[in-house]
Amino acid sequence: GPPPFIRTPMTSSTSLRVCVFGSSSKQTPEAYLKESYKLGKLIAKGGHVCVTGGGISGCMGAVSDGCADAGGTAVGVIHEMWCAEGEMDEKHRRLSELIKVGGKNLMRRKEALLERADCFVSLPGGVGTFDELCEVVCEKQLGMNPRVCVLLNIDGYYDGFLQQMKRMQKDKILYVPTEKLILTATTAEEALELCVKHHAENQNLKINTDENMKAVEKKKKTEEKEKEEGQTGGNGEKIEINEKEDVVRAAIEARAQSLKLQALDTAGRRAILLEIAKTLAANKNEILEVNKEDIKAAQSMKMSKSMRKRLVMDAKKIENLCKGITQIANDEDPIGQLVSATELSKKLILHQKTVPIGVLLIIFESRPDCLPQIAALSIKSGNGLLLKGGKEARMSCRFLHKLITQAVEKATKGKVSSGVVSLVETRQEIAQLLSLDHVIDLVIPRGSYGLVNFIKSHTKIPVLGHADGICHIFLDTDLDVAMAIRLIIDAKLNYAAACNAVENVLFHEGLFEDGRAGKILAAVRKEGIQVHASKEISQLLGKDTTCAAIPADTGFSTEYGDNRMSIHVVKNVSAAMRHINEFGSGHTDCIVTNNKDNVEAFLTGVASACVFHNASTRFADGFRFGLGAEVGISTGKIHARGPVGVKGLTTTQWTLASGEKDGHTVTDFVEGACEYTHKKLELKS
């Protein structure tokens, strides 16, 4: 038969088979039994499978009972000579499955257990697992997927063994270091958390044996040679990330490099951004040439006009990119900013400061110019980054990514590697990344309604963004007609494919009484805007003005993305707000009026991320807001909202420091030795 280390993987990428070893003695201490029972329940609640040696007492019986009581799957693997009639068989009926193995000795049972294990947890009394613990370390050297082994070190039970392992490592008896393969935990929760985390990392990684390492080195040298000879041209890249294992590796590398990025001072991160801006400007012509290849290839794809327009890069866009990145470089450092300072008690000070989120996965469609903006914001905020551009912009994204990562390594002299910003290219890779909620901290999708909702429904990772850009302009009765015309034309035609372009214009009914509505419509239609009118507004316009109907399937929630827009009539500002809050997407909405009371009502009554007065909806943009750039626009109400700039890519951390010689304890306050002051302190720059 096959060797015991060749295993059939679980069908679910989030489930794993936790093989638990431990005491089967009826005299097992209560503390061990309690934690074992808790582990069994946690395994079941996590949707995992508990695999044991089938013992009915001690830690083995407790972990199986916990799993069964929580409705989980508990599998017992036992030698047939132990399966007699009586107590043992009765207890085994609680198991989901009892696997009996034969043979003249117990080796077959050990092999059967190891074949069914994705990871190991050794409870007190699991002394028979010591040789397996050493063997899982050897798996890594042999090029196999190494399985993590967690020692549940209750009351220091495994302290002696850990000393033995240190001696083995010191004497170089072990093949490789054990730190990442044999771990310790003091609680059931911590043990299972370590299993889940390390299994998810290791099951998808190729283990580089000497042969693999030589292959990687050979590929790297070949690419460097091609680069020197100019064979890769504008589309060359150092290492493509195409395989599933490499995508997971990229996510883990992004986290590692983000820590190095955070270790740089403000000047260090600023130098990276300035180098990126300089590199983009120097390669402007090459960027445009590569972009033409994408535009040419897109002609054979089924794409909307708005998507085609987003795909195009020009000299002006590159110039604005460089300006924006330079602005970001010169902005205040978002990391380490004090948010609050509080004296909890004498010599006990609490600070709240800004810190990076961690690793970001940002997915965008069509617009290759998003890539440098997003990379700049991520680097400024100290985050690792995984980028997925649309397939229609593949060539442009590859080349821009190459320029950016070269600039990172040049500016830091290799202290931060190119892995801090990685590029992924296929939907399969995205599906794999969406399962890495233990590595990736935030997903920001920028694209269609379908894309955003797919992401939200296929990941446990927090998602920041918006699905639609259904923006409104409400024309109040007290307005300047020329201003209204100017704002509508700009909001619709300045860049009709943008998510902040106006899609619906609401007219106050009073504008039809004196003909102002007709004048506004005639002016905007003359500029090329196609109008889709509601039944109510068509009746007011009469036969002299004909308009297309609003799409029946999407109605007032239609996002055209081109030179079309919908119009509707409302009674007053209150009706306009109700309409916007019902049919809008919470993106950007504007009121055009000279009535101060209506302005105040509109600005407080519309529940959108951006609410404007007498200003085009096109201002809802990170660059125009002075953020330098944006990773996207969030219509949610948690964390960042509206255009998300560099500050939106940070979170906060609490730090507490005691100045007392013996430190502070909660008991000091319970017993009256200390008193809380909760005094707010002045923030020091």
Side-chain angles (χ1 to χ4, degrees):
F5 290 113
I6 299 177
R7 302 178 296 281
T8 303
M10 297 291 291
T11 54
S12 170
S13 62
T14 57
S15 297
L16 62 151
R17 297 163 293 192
V18 184
C19 185
V20 185
F21 295 96
S23 166
S24 295
S25 170
K26 292 182 179 179
Q27 283 75 46
T28 301
E30 184 63 29
Y32 298 169
L33 297 177
K34 183 178 179 181
E35 208 65 30
S36 300
Y37 182 82
K38 187 192 297 183
L39 176 64
K41 292 189 73 173
L42 290 170
I43 290 171
K45 290 179 179 179
H48 309 299
V49 177
C50 180
V51 183
T52 72
I56 61 173
S57 301
C59 294
M60 291 293 86
V63 74
S64 296
D65 285 346
C67 186
D69 289 346
T73 301
V75 178
V77 180
I78 193 167
H79 198 280
E80 60 185 7
M81 72 178 189
W82 285 337
C83 295
E85 294 294 332
E87 179 190 2
M88 202 162 227
D89 294 283
E90 184 66 31
K91 187 71 174 281
H92 284 147
R93 289 194 180 97
R94 297 205 69 192
L95 296 172
S96 308
E97 183 182 5
L98 179 63
I99 300 171
K100 300 177 185 180
V101 296
K104 296 180 180 180
N105 55 50
L106 298 180
M107 288 303 296
R108 236 345 256 138
R109 173 174 168 268
K110 180 191 289 186
E111 290 182 358
L113 280 167
L114 296 178
E115 286 173 358
R116 289 167 174 82
D118 291 312
C119 58
F120 302 96
V121 175
S122 189
L123 297 165
V127 291
T129 66
F130 285 1
D131 56 341
E132 281 84 64
L133 298 183
C134 294
E135 286 174 353
V136 297
V137 179
C138 298
E139 289 183 36
K140 183 169 184 178
Q141 184 71 12
L142 295 172
M144 302 172 182
N145 285 349
R147 290 169 290 177
V148 69
C149 198
V150 181
L151 306 179
L152 193 44
N153 195 23
I154 304 171
D155 294 336
Y157 181 87
Y158 281 113
D159 286 351
F161 173 70
L162 292 171
Q163 288 298 321
Q164 181 183 345
M165 294 296 290
K166 285 183 180 179
R167 176 64 184 271
M168 293 171 71
Q169 187 171 325
K170 180 181 179 182
D171 293 344
K172 299 183 179 179
I173 295 174
L174 296 177
Y175 284 115
V176 293
T178 63
E179 288 89 346
K180 294 185 178 180
L181 296 175
I182 299 179
L183 309 172
T184 57
T186 56
T187 65
E189 292 89 347
E190 185 184 1
L192 185 59
E193 183 180 344
L194 288 170
C195 285
V196 172
K197 176 184 176 183
H198 286 268
H199 173 69
E201 291 175 0
N202 290 331
Q203 71 170 340
N204 295 302
L205 292 179
K206 288 181 176 179
I207 307 303
N208 288 323
T209 58
D210 289 341
E211 184 178 347
N212 289 337
M213 290 299 289
K214 288 176 182 177
V216 171
E217 189 63 30
K218 183 178 179 181
K219 180 179 179 182
K220 193 172 182 180
K221 287 180 179 178
T222 301
E223 288 170 345
E224 288 174 353
K225 184 178 179 182
E226 288 178 345
K227 181 179 176 182
E228 290 174 3
E229 295 173 356
Q231 294 175 4
T232 57
N235 301 326
E237 54 182 344
K238 286 178 72 175
I239 298 178
E240 286 187 22
I241 299 172
N242 288 320
E243 299 178 8
K244 181 194 292 186
E245 296 89 345
D246 292 329
V247 174
V248 180
R249 191 189 300 277
I252 296 170
E253 179 66 9
R255 179 170 292 281
Q257 293 304 317
S258 71
L259 297 176
K260 295 181 180 180
L261 186 63
Q262 294 165 31
L264 297 178
D265 58 14
T266 301
R269 287 189 295 276
R270 179 176 180 271
I272 296 174
L273 296 177
L274 293 177
E275 185 63 33
I276 290 174
K278 177 182 174 183
T279 302
L280 293 177
N283 290 273
K284 178 181 69 175
N285 294 334
E286 289 84 350
I287 294 170
L288 296 178
E289 286 301 315
V290 174
N291 183 242
K292 287 178 182 178
E293 294 182 32
D294 280 328
I295 296 169
K296 184 178 179 180
Q299 293 174 358
S300 60
M301 299 181 187
K302 291 183 178 179
M303 293 173 60
S304 64
K305 290 182 179 178
S306 59
M307 285 191 72
R308 289 182 190 277
K309 191 171 183 181
R310 290 172 186 164
L311 179 60
V312 177
M313 293 191 72
D314 55 34
K316 187 64 176 177
K317 279 188 178 180
I318 295 174
E319 182 183 342
N320 287 338
L321 275 176
C322 296
K323 287 181 179 178
I325 293 171
T326 302
Q327 180 181 332
I328 295 169
N330 294 324
D331 283 345
E332 182 182 45
D333 192 341
I335 303 174
Q337 295 294 319
L338 279 182
V339 178
S340 66
T342 307
E343 179 193 86
L344 300 189
S345 184
K346 186 179 179 181
K347 294 186 178 181
L348 185 61
I349 307 300
L350 177 70
H351 287 113
Q352 185 184 22
K353 64 179 182 179
T354 57
V355 294
I357 289 175
V359 176
L360 314 174
L361 170 59
I362 301 182
I363 306 162
F364 56 96
E365 293 180 337
S366 300
R367 291 179 55 186
D369 57 309
C370 287
L371 192 150
Q373 296 179 42
I374 295 168
L377 291 169
S378 183
I379 290 167
K380 180 73 173 182
S381 55
N383 291 293
L385 180 63
L386 298 164
L387 282 165
K388 167 67 172 73
K391 62 181 180 181
E392 62 282 347
R394 181 171 296 173
M395 298 296 185
S396 300
C397 288
R398 283 181 179 179
F399 188 50
L400 289 168
H401 174 255
K402 174 189 171 185
L403 294 177
I404 288 168
T405 53
Q406 286 178 347
V408 169
E409 293 190 337
K410 181 179 179 181
T412 63
K413 296 181 180 178
K415 291 180 182 178
V416 180
S417 80
S418 60
V420 74
V421 179
S422 287
L423 184 66
V424 295
E425 295 188 333
T426 68
R427 283 185 176 271
Q428 288 79 8
E429 293 169 329
I430 290 299
Q432 180 71 9
L433 288 168
L434 292 178
S435 68
L436 301 180
D437 53 293
H438 64 290
V439 180
I440 299 170
D441 300 290
L442 183 66
V443 181
I444 305 178
R446 296 183 58 167
S448 65
Y449 177 87
L451 169 70
V452 176
N453 281 281
F454 172 85
I455 299 299
K456 287 182 176 180
S457 61
H458 285 79
T459 188
K460 295 179 182 178
I461 306 169
V463 178
L464 182 74
H466 74 282
D468 292 313
I470 303 168
C471 303
H472 292 76
I473 290 179
F474 167 55
L475 304 180
D476 196 14
T477 186
D478 183 8
L479 56 65
D480 182 294
V481 170
M483 178 195 292
I485 293 169
R486 208 164 77 92
L487 293 180
I488 293 171
I489 291 171
D490 182 82
K492 175 80 288 189
L493 298 181
N494 175 265
Y495 187 28
C499 60
N500 56 13
V502 68
E503 302 292 2
N504 292 320
V505 175
L506 305 179
F507 287 79
H508 189 291
E509 62 180 13
L511 296 174
F512 290 90
E513 296 174 0
D514 55 11
R516 286 181 293 168
K519 184 178 180 181
I520 292 170
L521 284 173
V524 299
R525 294 176 84 174
K526 185 179 179 181
E527 293 297 320
I529 297 175
Q530 296 180 22
V531 176
H532 292 252
S534 64
K535 292 180 180 178
E536 296 84 352
I537 211 166
S538 293
Q539 292 173 356
L540 290 171
L541 290 171
K543 296 181 180 180
D544 295 335
T545 305
T546 57
C547 298
I550 291 175
D553 54 345
T554 50
F556 292 120
S557 296
T558 303
E559 184 175 10
Y560 295 104
D562 52 30
N563 64 334
R564 294 173 293 168
M565 71 180 191
S566 297
I567 59 173
H568 184 52
V569 61
V570 292
K571 188 174 183 179
N572 50 36
V573 67
S574 297
M577 291 188 296
R578 286 195 299 272
H579 182 99
I580 292 169
N581 289 335
E582 180 178 356
F583 297 106
S585 61
H587 194 298
T588 303
D589 302 289
C590 165
I591 182 174
V592 182
T593 186
N594 294 320
N595 186 305
K596 292 183 179 179
D597 292 336
N598 287 351
V599 170
E600 187 62 29
F602 191 87
L603 295 182
T604 56
V606 172
S608 295
C610 302
V611 189
F612 297 165
H613 168 224
N614 290 352
S616 169
T617 57
R618 288 281 291 126
F619 277 106
D621 173 83
F623 179 75
R624 297 184 183 99
F625 275 16
L627 306 180
E630 66 183 36
V631 293
I633 292 182
S634 172
T635 55
K637 297 182 180 180
I638 305 298
H639 192 60
R641 196 176 185 205
V644 181
V646 69
K647 289 184 179 179
L649 300 182
T650 62
T651 184
T652 60
Q653 180 185 64
W654 296 95
T655 60
L656 182 63
S658 171
E660 286 288 358
K661 180 181 178 182
D662 298 325
H664 279 83
T665 67
V666 172
T667 304
D668 295 336
F669 293 84
V670 174
E671 295 179 349
C674 296
E675 292 184 355
Y676 289 109
T677 59
H678 291 145
K679 178 183 177 182
K680 295 296 180 184
L681 303 177
E682 183 181 350
L683 298 179
K684 297 180 180 179
S685 57

